[in-house]
Amino acid sequence: QQSANQSMKAPASCLSIASLAFASAMIVVLTTHSTVAHEPSMSLLSSPVSRVGQMQRTSLPLSRTVRKPRSRCFANQPASSHDNLGRRQTMKGAGMLPVGLTLAQLLDFPNTQQAKASLLTAQQPVSDARELLRDSLPITNKPIRRIQKEIFTKITEAVRVPNVKMSEVQSAVSESQKVLAKDKPAIIKDVVGDAAKKDASATLAQIELKLNEFQEIIDKKDKQEIPIKQQEILSLVERIENDMIPSFPFKVPAEYASGPLLMGRAAVEMQVTCKSSSVTKGGKMKIVLDGYNAPVTAGNFLDLVKRKFYDGMPVQRADGFVVQSGDPGNKQTGFIDPNTKELRTVPLEIMVKGDKTPIYDATLDDVGRYKEVPNLPFNAFGTLAMARAEFEPNSASSQFFFLLKESELTPSGTNVLDGRYGVFGYITEGKELLKEVKQGDTIDYIKVISGSDNCKNCINENAVAAASEDVTVA
């Protein structure tokens, strides 16, 4: 209970006795069991992750740092021997109380949880990394979005059940063919540049051809070929969507504009050596970094990749919840800028669906938008985000983590990750490797494979060798 008291946001004055009594009652009702055990040496933030029907409280990634003193409304309570950042708590029961909620959220908690549970039974959240990235592109062309949703959503739901719903697959293909027949000019109109328009016209012809091939698969009831053809069409759709973005969609705030910025997207390759896995000796993963929704965060990471900052670094946490690394082991626990000789940090940066610019410097709780969903949610296995200090939203530097949970367990809007940690990318290839990565394994390298030119104010690769000599790593 003390942990909940520490993390709960309160007004400037202490909560009333009645409010505290109600909060305590809610904890008793929603929680049936609690255990505490010490974590490894890294300082980690304890926060819950929602489940439907089963709740598990686990520690979240946090930059290795020193906790700042916090005022409490429970000043007379004795300090717990577990009052530190290095702990894990597990809560089991029919429901769960998210620790970071405000009193207003706490009062509304039963209703929102019931609504979220109903949502889960109606439709599974999107957990496909590529689809999440397509969804978050800053485009407004309705016909191409219609084809995307028909091919992805309908077909994905149709093949989810044991017996594929061929009628739904047929519907998706037929509706997509209708859109192409009617709205092809409207699609090409939004593509930027004459060369890109010509390419889009050829790509639409390819989509049309593959939809006809899809019809043959449906007629033969070839279930194995359905997801293959689905991905082929979606790749073509994504190609057109990427060409619809005329320029970077918003202006980065002046206080962050001088740092590394990813003005678009980039892809990097990470190679990991697994030392204790019985399945693999290691492998490679492809990660797409999204600067359209997190230009400051993604730019900071890409700049560090260009500096070879992560090459040879050990994996510092792998507990079945996250894989975390990025702590160079210095006193500042992050990247020391060789020019300023100071720790370089980035702000918490979250783009909410429907917004034109990200929210900076604050969690969605802080700005009263805790029910809204980020453009880049923690839905996919292999979601990439920055670790930060518990009470300092702008403290992220170089430490990052991959989420190892699927969205069925942590759907957007029902977990305490969305809106509190800055997502800036997803693993799109090789994510199976993450399951085998253990603490102490080695990141051999991370290198840029595309989109390097989209990085503004990033270090020039030719200067990396000289600059690396000045980077403090001890």
Side-chain angles (χ1 to χ4, degrees), residues 74 92 125 202 228 256 281 289 306 327 337 350 382 417 470:
F74 300 88
K92 299 179 180 179
I228 297 174
Y256 307 122
K281 293 183 179 180
L289 310 179
K306 286 171 169 277
D327 183 351
D337 191 314
I350 300 169
L417 294 169
D470 298 326

Side-chain angles (χ1 to χ4, degrees), residues 106-298:
L106 177 63
L107 292 170
D108 194 43
F109 181 74
N111 295 329
T112 56
Q113 286 301 97
Q114 184 178 5
K116 291 165 185 173
S118 300
L119 177 63
L120 278 177
T121 59
Q123 182 178 349
Q124 296 290 346
V126 175
S127 61
D128 183 271
R130 289 187 179 90
E131 182 67 4
L132 290 169
L133 287 165
R134 283 188 289 267
D135 282 345
S136 61
L137 284 170
I139 64 171
T140 58
N141 187 279
K142 292 182 179 179
I144 198 68
R145 286 297 200 194
R146 176 73 184 279
I147 295 173
Q148 176 195 328
K149 289 304 174 185
E150 289 290 336
I151 297 300
F152 178 81
T153 306
K154 275 190 181 180
I155 295 178
T156 299
E157 289 297 321
V159 301
R160 190 186 297 272
V161 296
N163 294 319
V164 175
K165 294 182 179 179
M166 285 295 181
S167 60
E168 289 298 306
V169 179
Q170 178 68 73
S171 174
V173 171
S174 298
E175 290 300 319
S176 298
Q177 289 173 326
K178 291 178 183 177
V179 172
L180 273 182
K182 178 184 177 182
D183 295 321
K184 190 181 296 184
I187 294 174
I188 296 175
K189 180 181 177 182
D190 279 1
V191 174
V192 181
D194 292 339
K197 287 180 186 293
K198 184 177 180 180
D199 182 72
S201 181
T203 303
L204 287 173
Q206 287 182 276
I207 292 175
E208 196 168 12
L209 177 62
K210 290 188 179 297
L211 286 172
N212 292 334
E213 293 172 355
F214 220 140
Q215 186 62 58
E216 296 177 7
I217 292 172
I218 295 170
D219 294 340
K220 295 178 182 178
K221 297 183 179 181
D222 191 341
K223 300 176 183 178
Q224 282 70 34
E225 286 295 318
I226 290 175
I228 297 174
K229 192 62 63 178
Q230 178 195 34
Q231 291 305 316
E232 289 177 358
I233 294 174
L234 287 172
S235 294
L236 294 171
V237 168
E238 182 178 341
R239 181 174 175 176
I240 294 174
E241 290 176 338
N242 281 322
D243 285 338
M244 289 181 169
I245 305 169
S247 60
F248 195 74
F250 60 90
K251 186 176 181 180
V252 175
E255 58 265 43
Y256 307 122
S258 61
L261 302 173
L262 181 56
M263 312 299 280
R265 286 183 174 169
V268 299
E269 179 182 275
M270 175 187 290
Q271 178 170 297
V272 179
T273 294
C274 298
K275 300 176 182 179
S276 56
S277 171
S278 60
V279 177
T280 180
K281 293 183 179 180
K284 300 174 182 178
M285 298 179 289
K286 180 181 177 181
I287 307 160
V288 174
L289 310 179
D290 188 355
Y292 290 125
N293 293 282
V296 180
T297 312

